[in-house]
């Protein structure tokens, strides 16, 4: 009586399927929630004073396609005379979540 090759074919098909699944899982990138991403920061700051100065401004953090407006302020004591307007543009790195960006969002 001839032997059936059906169990052998099933084992081979199962092994090939598991190998393909393993390769697919290894090829998938890590999800963005676990990866660090940098954000783009733009700030406009106005400062004025005479011996004692103060400044205020606002900015926008663009992080993962969304804009997060924030405010900045500061106080200085020392040789201060006049007024300035500054614009800052840069990157905020090491952010895993928008809450890692310290400030008043």
């Amino acid at each position: 009586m001839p032997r059936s090759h059906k169990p052998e074919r099933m084992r081979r098909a199962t092994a090939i399927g598991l190998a393909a699944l393993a390769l697919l899982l290894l090829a998938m990138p890590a999800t963005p929630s676990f990866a660090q991403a940098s954000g783009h920061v733009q700030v406009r700051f106005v400062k004025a004073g005479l011996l004692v100065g103060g400044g205020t401004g606002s900015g926008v953090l663009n992080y993962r396609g969304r804009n997060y407006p924030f405010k900045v302020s500061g106080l200085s004591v020392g040789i201060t005379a006049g007024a300035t307007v500054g614009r800052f543009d840069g990157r905020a790195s090491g952010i895993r979540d928008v809450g890692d960006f310290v400030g008043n969002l």
Side-chain angles (χ1 to χ4, degrees):
M1 187 163 161
R3 236 175 104 187
S4 173
H5 293 288
K6 200 171 186 177
E8 188 176 317
R9 285 184 187 169
M10 286 294 286
R11 271 189 254 130
R12 185 177 295 154
T14 303
I16 290 172
L18 288 174
L21 181 62
L23 284 174
L24 179 68
L25 290 174
L26 288 173
M28 289 175 54
T31 60
S33 61
F34 296 120
Q36 288 185 352
S38 63
H40 184 249
V41 179
Q42 293 179 314
V43 179
R44 182 171 185 257
F45 195 76
V46 178
K47 180 180 175 185
L50 182 60
L51 294 178
V52 175
T56 186
S58 62
V60 175
L61 167 67
N62 182 290
Y63 180 66
R64 292 191 173 160
R66 291 189 59 197
N67 289 329
Y68 298 92
F70 62 92
K71 297 189 180 306
V72 291
S73 61
L75 182 65
S76 64
V77 178
I79 302 173
T80 302
T84 60
V85 174
R87 292 179 186 233
F88 308 102
D89 195 340
R91 304 218 58 82
S93 60
I95 300 174
R96 290 182 186 268
D97 183 64
V98 73
D100 293 340
F101 185 77
V102 178
N104 185 11
L105 293 174

